Short mmCIF file of all heavy atoms in Angstrom, two decimals:
data_model
loop_
_atom_site.label_atom_id
_atom_site.label_comp_id
_atom_site.label_asym_id
_atom_site.label_seq_id
_atom_site.Cartn_x
_atom_site.Cartn_y
_atom_site.Cartn_z
N LEU G 82 -4.58 6.80 -6.71
CA LEU G 82 -4.76 7.43 -7.98
C LEU G 82 -3.88 6.73 -8.95
O LEU G 82 -2.68 6.42 -8.72
CB LEU G 82 -4.36 8.93 -7.88
CG LEU G 82 -5.08 9.79 -6.89
CD1 LEU G 82 -4.45 11.18 -6.78
CD2 LEU G 82 -6.56 9.91 -7.30
N SER G 83 -4.46 6.44 -10.17
CA SER G 83 -3.70 5.66 -11.15
C SER G 83 -3.86 6.34 -12.54
O SER G 83 -4.87 6.98 -12.84
CB SER G 83 -4.15 4.26 -11.23
OG SER G 83 -5.51 4.13 -11.59
N LEU G 84 -2.81 6.14 -13.36
CA LEU G 84 -2.81 6.62 -14.76
C LEU G 84 -2.26 5.58 -15.65
O LEU G 84 -1.11 5.10 -15.47
CB LEU G 84 -1.95 7.90 -14.85
CG LEU G 84 -1.74 8.41 -16.31
CD1 LEU G 84 -3.05 8.80 -16.97
CD2 LEU G 84 -0.73 9.58 -16.33
N GLN G 85 -3.08 5.09 -16.59
CA GLN G 85 -2.62 4.06 -17.53
C GLN G 85 -1.90 4.79 -18.70
O GLN G 85 -2.44 5.17 -19.70
CB GLN G 85 -3.85 3.31 -18.10
CG GLN G 85 -3.48 2.11 -18.98
CD GLN G 85 -3.08 0.87 -18.17
OE1 GLN G 85 -3.71 0.56 -17.20
NE2 GLN G 85 -2.05 0.19 -18.65
N ALA G 86 -0.58 5.00 -18.47
CA ALA G 86 0.19 5.76 -19.47
C ALA G 86 0.35 5.02 -20.80
O ALA G 86 0.50 5.62 -21.83
CB ALA G 86 1.58 6.11 -18.86
N ALA G 87 0.44 3.66 -20.69
CA ALA G 87 0.58 2.87 -21.86
C ALA G 87 0.01 1.49 -21.57
O ALA G 87 -0.21 1.16 -20.40
CB ALA G 87 2.05 2.81 -22.28
N PRO G 88 -0.21 0.64 -22.58
CA PRO G 88 -0.74 -0.71 -22.28
C PRO G 88 0.09 -1.49 -21.29
O PRO G 88 -0.42 -2.37 -20.57
CB PRO G 88 -0.81 -1.37 -23.64
CG PRO G 88 -0.96 -0.21 -24.60
CD PRO G 88 -0.13 0.88 -24.04
N THR G 89 1.40 -1.20 -21.24
CA THR G 89 2.31 -1.99 -20.37
C THR G 89 2.86 -1.14 -19.26
O THR G 89 3.81 -1.54 -18.58
CB THR G 89 3.46 -2.55 -21.19
OG1 THR G 89 4.18 -1.47 -21.81
CG2 THR G 89 2.95 -3.53 -22.24
N ARG G 90 2.30 0.10 -19.01
CA ARG G 90 2.86 0.92 -17.97
C ARG G 90 1.76 1.70 -17.24
O ARG G 90 0.90 2.31 -17.87
CB ARG G 90 3.85 1.93 -18.65
CG ARG G 90 4.60 2.81 -17.58
CD ARG G 90 5.77 3.56 -18.19
NE ARG G 90 5.36 4.55 -19.12
CZ ARG G 90 5.54 4.47 -20.46
NH1 ARG G 90 6.11 3.36 -20.97
NH2 ARG G 90 5.13 5.41 -21.26
N VAL G 91 1.79 1.58 -15.94
CA VAL G 91 0.80 2.25 -15.07
C VAL G 91 1.54 3.04 -13.99
O VAL G 91 2.48 2.54 -13.37
CB VAL G 91 -0.12 1.19 -14.38
CG1 VAL G 91 -1.12 1.94 -13.49
CG2 VAL G 91 -0.82 0.37 -15.41
N TRP G 92 1.10 4.28 -13.78
CA TRP G 92 1.66 5.13 -12.72
C TRP G 92 0.61 5.14 -11.61
O TRP G 92 -0.57 5.36 -11.89
CB TRP G 92 1.91 6.56 -13.20
CG TRP G 92 3.09 6.63 -14.20
CD1 TRP G 92 2.99 6.57 -15.55
CD2 TRP G 92 4.44 6.79 -13.80
NE1 TRP G 92 4.29 6.69 -16.08
CE2 TRP G 92 5.17 6.84 -15.05
CE3 TRP G 92 5.15 6.91 -12.62
CZ2 TRP G 92 6.55 6.99 -15.08
CZ3 TRP G 92 6.52 7.06 -12.68
CH2 TRP G 92 7.21 7.09 -13.89
N LYS G 93 1.09 5.02 -10.39
CA LYS G 93 0.16 5.00 -9.22
C LYS G 93 0.69 5.94 -8.12
O LYS G 93 1.94 5.99 -7.88
CB LYS G 93 -0.02 3.65 -8.61
CG LYS G 93 -0.89 2.73 -9.47
CD LYS G 93 -1.19 1.41 -8.72
CE LYS G 93 -2.12 0.52 -9.54
NZ LYS G 93 -2.44 -0.71 -8.78
N LEU G 94 -0.21 6.61 -7.46
CA LEU G 94 0.10 7.38 -6.28
C LEU G 94 -0.82 6.90 -5.17
O LEU G 94 -2.08 7.03 -5.29
CB LEU G 94 -0.10 8.88 -6.52
CG LEU G 94 0.22 9.82 -5.30
CD1 LEU G 94 1.65 9.73 -4.93
CD2 LEU G 94 -0.18 11.25 -5.63
N GLU G 95 -0.25 6.32 -4.11
CA GLU G 95 -1.07 5.63 -3.10
C GLU G 95 -0.75 6.17 -1.71
O GLU G 95 0.37 6.60 -1.41
CB GLU G 95 -0.83 4.11 -3.10
CG GLU G 95 -1.11 3.45 -4.43
CD GLU G 95 -0.80 2.00 -4.37
OE1 GLU G 95 -0.08 1.51 -3.45
OE2 GLU G 95 -1.21 1.26 -5.28
N TYR G 96 -1.74 6.09 -0.82
CA TYR G 96 -1.56 6.35 0.58
C TYR G 96 -2.45 5.40 1.34
O TYR G 96 -3.63 5.24 1.07
CB TYR G 96 -1.87 7.80 0.99
CG TYR G 96 -1.98 8.00 2.47
CD1 TYR G 96 -0.79 8.04 3.26
CD2 TYR G 96 -3.21 8.02 3.15
CE1 TYR G 96 -0.91 8.15 4.63
CE2 TYR G 96 -3.30 8.16 4.54
CZ TYR G 96 -2.11 8.21 5.25
OH TYR G 96 -2.18 8.32 6.65
N ASN G 97 -1.86 4.76 2.38
CA ASN G 97 -2.72 3.97 3.29
C ASN G 97 -2.05 3.89 4.63
O ASN G 97 -0.87 4.18 4.79
CB ASN G 97 -2.97 2.58 2.71
CG ASN G 97 -1.73 1.71 2.58
OD1 ASN G 97 -1.09 1.33 3.56
ND2 ASN G 97 -1.28 1.52 1.33
N THR G 98 -2.83 3.50 5.62
CA THR G 98 -2.37 3.34 7.00
C THR G 98 -2.52 1.91 7.42
O THR G 98 -3.58 1.29 7.16
CB THR G 98 -3.17 4.28 7.92
OG1 THR G 98 -3.03 5.63 7.45
CG2 THR G 98 -2.67 4.19 9.36
N ARG G 99 -1.56 1.36 8.10
CA ARG G 99 -1.61 0.02 8.65
C ARG G 99 -1.43 0.11 10.15
O ARG G 99 -0.75 0.96 10.68
CB ARG G 99 -0.52 -0.91 8.07
CG ARG G 99 -0.39 -0.87 6.57
CD ARG G 99 -1.68 -1.02 5.83
NE ARG G 99 -2.30 -2.37 6.06
CZ ARG G 99 -3.56 -2.69 5.77
NH1 ARG G 99 -4.31 -1.73 5.25
NH2 ARG G 99 -3.98 -3.88 6.01
N VAL G 100 -2.04 -0.87 10.86
CA VAL G 100 -1.97 -0.92 12.30
C VAL G 100 -1.36 -2.28 12.72
O VAL G 100 -1.70 -3.33 12.16
CB VAL G 100 -3.36 -0.78 12.95
CG1 VAL G 100 -3.30 -0.97 14.46
CG2 VAL G 100 -3.92 0.60 12.64
N LEU G 101 -0.42 -2.25 13.64
CA LEU G 101 0.20 -3.48 14.13
C LEU G 101 -0.08 -3.54 15.66
O LEU G 101 0.42 -2.73 16.42
CB LEU G 101 1.73 -3.49 13.88
CG LEU G 101 2.49 -4.64 14.42
CD1 LEU G 101 1.99 -5.97 13.78
CD2 LEU G 101 3.95 -4.53 14.17
N ARG G 102 -0.86 -4.57 16.02
CA ARG G 102 -1.16 -4.79 17.40
C ARG G 102 -0.26 -5.88 17.96
O ARG G 102 0.03 -6.85 17.23
CB ARG G 102 -2.65 -5.15 17.65
CG ARG G 102 -3.61 -4.12 17.09
CD ARG G 102 -5.05 -4.50 17.39
NE ARG G 102 -5.97 -3.57 16.76
CZ ARG G 102 -6.55 -3.77 15.59
NH1 ARG G 102 -6.30 -4.90 14.95
NH2 ARG G 102 -7.39 -2.93 15.04
N PRO G 103 0.14 -5.86 19.21
CA PRO G 103 1.01 -6.88 19.73
C PRO G 103 0.26 -8.27 19.77
O PRO G 103 -0.83 -8.34 20.26
CB PRO G 103 1.37 -6.39 21.10
CG PRO G 103 0.26 -5.42 21.47
CD PRO G 103 -0.19 -4.82 20.22
N GLY G 104 0.97 -9.25 19.29
CA GLY G 104 0.41 -10.64 19.36
C GLY G 104 0.70 -11.28 20.69
O GLY G 104 1.46 -10.76 21.54
N VAL G 105 0.17 -12.48 20.86
CA VAL G 105 0.29 -13.18 22.11
C VAL G 105 1.76 -13.51 22.42
O VAL G 105 2.15 -13.49 23.60
CB VAL G 105 -0.61 -14.42 22.15
CG1 VAL G 105 -0.12 -15.42 21.08
CG2 VAL G 105 -0.55 -15.09 23.55
N GLN G 106 2.53 -13.77 21.39
CA GLN G 106 3.94 -14.07 21.65
C GLN G 106 4.69 -12.98 22.25
O GLN G 106 5.72 -13.11 22.89
CB GLN G 106 4.64 -14.61 20.36
CG GLN G 106 4.83 -13.53 19.30
CD GLN G 106 3.62 -13.45 18.34
OE1 GLN G 106 2.50 -13.75 18.76
NE2 GLN G 106 3.92 -13.11 17.11
N TYR G 107 4.22 -11.72 22.03
CA TYR G 107 4.85 -10.54 22.59
C TYR G 107 4.27 -10.16 23.95
O TYR G 107 4.88 -9.41 24.72
CB TYR G 107 4.80 -9.36 21.66
CG TYR G 107 5.46 -9.63 20.35
CD1 TYR G 107 4.73 -9.81 19.20
CD2 TYR G 107 6.90 -9.66 20.24
CE1 TYR G 107 5.37 -10.09 17.96
CE2 TYR G 107 7.50 -9.91 19.01
CZ TYR G 107 6.74 -10.10 17.90
OH TYR G 107 7.34 -10.38 16.70
N LEU G 108 3.06 -10.64 24.24
CA LEU G 108 2.40 -10.30 25.50
C LEU G 108 2.63 -11.37 26.55
O LEU G 108 2.60 -11.07 27.76
CB LEU G 108 0.90 -10.13 25.26
CG LEU G 108 0.46 -8.99 24.39
CD1 LEU G 108 -1.04 -9.12 24.05
CD2 LEU G 108 0.73 -7.63 25.05
#
């Protein structure tokens, strides 16, 4: 969600999920 409060100022509210799978160097 974003709000352009002024030409040089933006407010944002964000949510996301990231996944980290083990790479070969860890396996």
Side-chain angles (χ1 to χ4, degrees):
L82 299 172
S83 62
L84 171 63
Q85 187 80 43
T89 59
R90 186 167 66 251
V91 179
W92 292 92
K93 285 187 177 183
L94 180 64
E95 302 178 345
Y96 167 77
N97 64 70
T98 302
R99 315 306 300 165
V100 175
L101 178 62
R102 303 185 187 94
V105 64
Q106 66 270 31
Y107 299 107
L108 296 170

